[in-house]
Amino acid sequence: MAHDDIMNDLERRRENARAMGGEEKLQRRKERGSLNAEERLACLVDKDSFIEVGLLGAASGGNLDPAKTPRDGKITGFGRIDGRDVGVCVNDFTVKGASTGGTNSKKLGYIRRSTVERGIPFIHIGESTGARLPDAMGSKGMGAMLGNDTTQFRRLRENPWAAVALDTSFGSSAWLVCCSDFSVMKKGSVLSVSSPGLVSMAIGERVDPEDLGGWRIHADMTGLVDRFVNTDEEAMEEIRRFISYMPNNNMELPPEYDIPAGSGDQQEDILKVLPASRTHVYDMHKVLEVIVDKDSLLEFKPRFGKPAIAALARLGGKTVGIIANNPMDGGGAMSVEAIRKLIDLTVLCDSFNIPIVRFMDTPGFVVGTGAEKKGAPGHIVNLMNATCLTTVPQLTVLVRKAYGRAYVALGGGEHNDEMIAWPTAEVSFMDPVFATKIVHDLSPGDDGFDQALAEIQKDIEIWDMASTFSAHDVIKPQETRDYLIRMLDVHRRRRTKGIGQHLMQTWPTSS
């Protein structure tokens, strides 16, 4: 064959591969408002930055015609986000439902391994039906397709992973959400182990997709997904935003950004949010938004474990992790769900060299039969373990209540590099009303209760702790932003170039 014929043959094969599942399937997606795989990729990475690998991959098992399985249902390659290299896999549902096959497993594995070895973020855009049948059936199929990659689910957090669940996300799309450091789900999608049809057959009754793995299940009950959006475009923007906070790998520091105009201008507003009465609730989000750089607060799992806030943000242009109690929900008492969320954020920050700033205002952990049945003691110990294993800079602000074991688990005492307090802070082993009952056997309404309570409350004020240097300083709330920015600079790990020890790098990503 002449060179022109050979080159033309290559171009024809490329064109066939880029056609995906064909015009009819692509049109149906467009009519229901879902982007196709190429369109999702274009929203995710910088313009003209993507270089594809595996374009000519096709199904290699079963009786499928390779010509009818372009790319074997996965677009894989390398692109850039804000000029930074990332590895990407975008499932193409128009080709066999992006089901897992032999060729596309190799393509995905190659991208995943390359990002780990080269130290760049890995991103998976999932929409899939699960394992491809009949390829995976029988002992031959199982032996050929499952269990042959021992690194498939091994996370050592060498590089950041992010994943998106769109429309029907079963099998590998679900696994990669659970393996990732950050995940996004489009409302109306279903994220589960298997499809509703298969589950219905297995249990002998009809299963509603929303009840099986709808977005509300994951937002309110499982905590497996960090952010929820309305469109494909918003999902890609959430991933781009997350990557902006993260280093390329665990041996680098996160990127720094210019401080947005208006950051820090309204510090006096904290006093408008924080009630003068210590018994009144308030929304901690409003305090945090004043303190951190303008519009930089990226909250994880906002509807899960709502008595706590877990977020990434920037202070002075630098990435920080934010752990905070929110008295607006349950008085800030720490539920099992809140504990799980804060552990996830702690592990993420320590694994990727992100300093942690805590804002403490909690009466303690949620107690009772419900909490015990959820394994509260074990989760509390896990949080304390994570706090003790943290090796990045930790700064703790005592805002108001800091009671009991929660005080320690959230960075009290020596479990931080810097612990400061606002004048509103109160520290004690338990709520002063309960303490009055235990110490003096007096309850509200009893003669002498008010006097006994007043005496106990004197002991919980921050001044005694500050006088013994158990709190490093007491500052005004409106001084907090400048104090934190300066102290974060002081406590940078200069001897290690800011790199932590990563003692939690093998902590489960879906604990």
Side-chain angles (χ1 to χ4, degrees), residues 400-419:
R400 290 201 310 186
K401 295 181 175 66
Y403 291 167
R405 179 56 60 178
Y407 162 76
V408 177
L410 289 174
E414 296 297 319
H415 296 84
N416 59 77
D417 297 286
E418 190 81 16
M419 188 173 74

Side-chain angles (χ1 to χ4, degrees), residues 269-270 272-275 280-290 297 299 306 309 324-329 361 400:
D269 285 357
I270 297 175
K272 299 176 183 178
V273 176
L274 190 69
H280 289 180
V281 300
Y282 63 98
D283 189 350
M284 181 67 83
H285 293 91
K286 296 180 179 180
V287 173
L288 299 176
E289 287 165 358
V290 172
L297 192 70
E299 185 177 1
K306 292 195 291 186
I309 298 170
N325 304 111
N326 189 16
M328 186 63 73
D329 285 281
D361 188 352
R400 290 201 310 186

Side-chain angles (χ1 to χ4, degrees), residues 356-392:
I356 296 174
V357 180
R358 302 184 183 93
F359 292 83
M360 197 186 311
D361 188 352
T362 180
F365 296 109
V366 172
V367 296
T369 56
E372 297 296 331
K373 289 175 181 177
K374 292 179 180 179
H379 291 288
I380 292 169
V381 168
N382 285 348
L383 178 59
M384 292 190 291
N385 190 22
T387 299
C388 292
L389 289 171
T390 300
T391 59
V392 294

Side-chain angles (χ1 to χ4, degrees), residues 57-78:
S60 58
N63 298 316
L64 294 175
D65 181 356
K68 295 182 179 179
T69 56
R71 293 161 158 158
D72 204 19
K74 292 186 188 294
I75 303 175
T76 51
F78 303 93

Side-chain angles (χ1 to χ4, degrees), residues 358-359 395-399 416 418-422 425 462 470-476 479-480 483-484 487:
R358 302 184 183 93
F359 292 83
L395 279 64
T396 300
V397 181
L398 304 183
V399 175
N416 59 77
E418 190 81 16
M419 188 173 74
I420 59 175
W422 292 353
I462 195 61
S470 297
H472 294 132
D473 206 350
V474 179
I475 66 171
K476 297 177 181 178
E479 298 169 344
T480 305
Y483 192 100
L484 291 174
M487 279 299 175

